[in-house]
Amino acid sequence: DIQLTQSPTFLSASVGDRVTITCRASQGIRSFLAWYQQKPGKAPNLLIYVASTLQSGVPSRFSGSGSGTEFTLTISSLQPEDFATYYCQQLHSYPRTFGQGTRLEIK
Amino acid sequence: EVQLVESGGGLIQPGGSLRLSCEASGFNLSTYAMTWVRQAPGKGLEWVSDISGSGGGTNYADSVKGRFTISRDNFKNTLYLQMNSLRAEDTAVYYCAKETNNVSDYWGQGALVTVSS
């Protein structure tokens, strides 16, 4: 199985900050990676797919990059509604594994 | 508007069976693969299973293989997850999701399954 490791696991930041979350795959997955945002008690929400394509309706302050084994999710200027948990997921092979999550909290 | 509504969750004893349903609306279900993802209390997301648009292709996580069965009835616009031989570690919120380009672009609100005696 492909393991995904996110870093950091926990991130404290302020409104207006630029933040980056990293997702590393245990083997190459080309660009078959998605990012999701989840708020407490809610279903996940797709942000980015094929590593860098922004899902329709997602603000442009979110961006993704990377290929192979290392990927990043960047939020250019944090807004209050961005404080949530973020997950990466690989779609290269089965099982479709997720990273362990990165919890982003207000400093 | 795409909507996915899960039902069928509840409290079940270890070893028991439960069937989750996911009613879809706002799109042609037969055109899309569908997925089940679960989340244990306070934990991260775990992919469980998916099924092709026609229902001819299915995949399962090792943790549920042989115990869970995914199926669909495109005429009823409904996705199912039959869960047998349930264990305490199956306790989770179960989400159904629509797949586009291999990613889950729309999700239901989730159904809580609690396995406990």
Side-chain angles (χ1 to χ4, degrees), chain A residues 66-102:
Chain A
S67 67
T69 60
E70 186 152 337
F71 302 84
T72 58
L73 172 70
T74 298
I75 310 172
S76 61
S77 179
L78 275 174
Q79 299 302 301
E81 60 268 30
D82 300 337
F83 292 93
T85 300
Y86 293 84
Y87 294 93
C88 56
Q89 184 193 22
Q90 64 83 16
L91 297 314
H92 177 270
S93 57
Y94 288 99
R96 304 279 205 228
T97 43
F98 288 90
Q100 81 277 20
T102 294

Side-chain angles (χ1 to χ4, degrees), chain A residues 34-45:
Chain A
W35 290 96
Y36 300 89
Q37 175 194 68
Q38 188 181 32
K39 296 181 179 179
K42 300 294 186 183
N45 181 47

Side-chain angles (χ1 to χ4, degrees), chain A residues 1 32-34 36 38 41-46 48-50 55 87 89 91 94-100, chain B residues 35 37 39 43-47 50 59-62 95 99-110:
Chain A
D1 297 1
F32 294 112
L33 189 99
Y36 300 89
Q38 188 181 32
K42 300 294 186 183
N45 181 47
L46 176 65
I48 286 168
Y49 60 99
V50 289
Q55 171 69 352
Y87 294 93
Q89 184 193 22
L91 297 314
Y94 288 99
R96 304 279 205 228
T97 43
F98 288 90
Q100 81 277 20
Chain B
T35 293
V37 172
Q39 187 168 36
K43 302 297 184 182
L45 301 172
E46 180 187 13
W47 175 85
D50 67 17
N59 297 282
Y60 297 92
D62 285 347
Y95 296 102
E99 286 190 13
T100 300
N101 298 323
N102 274 336
V103 294
S104 300
D105 58 348
Y106 287 91
W107 297 62
Q109 84 288 351

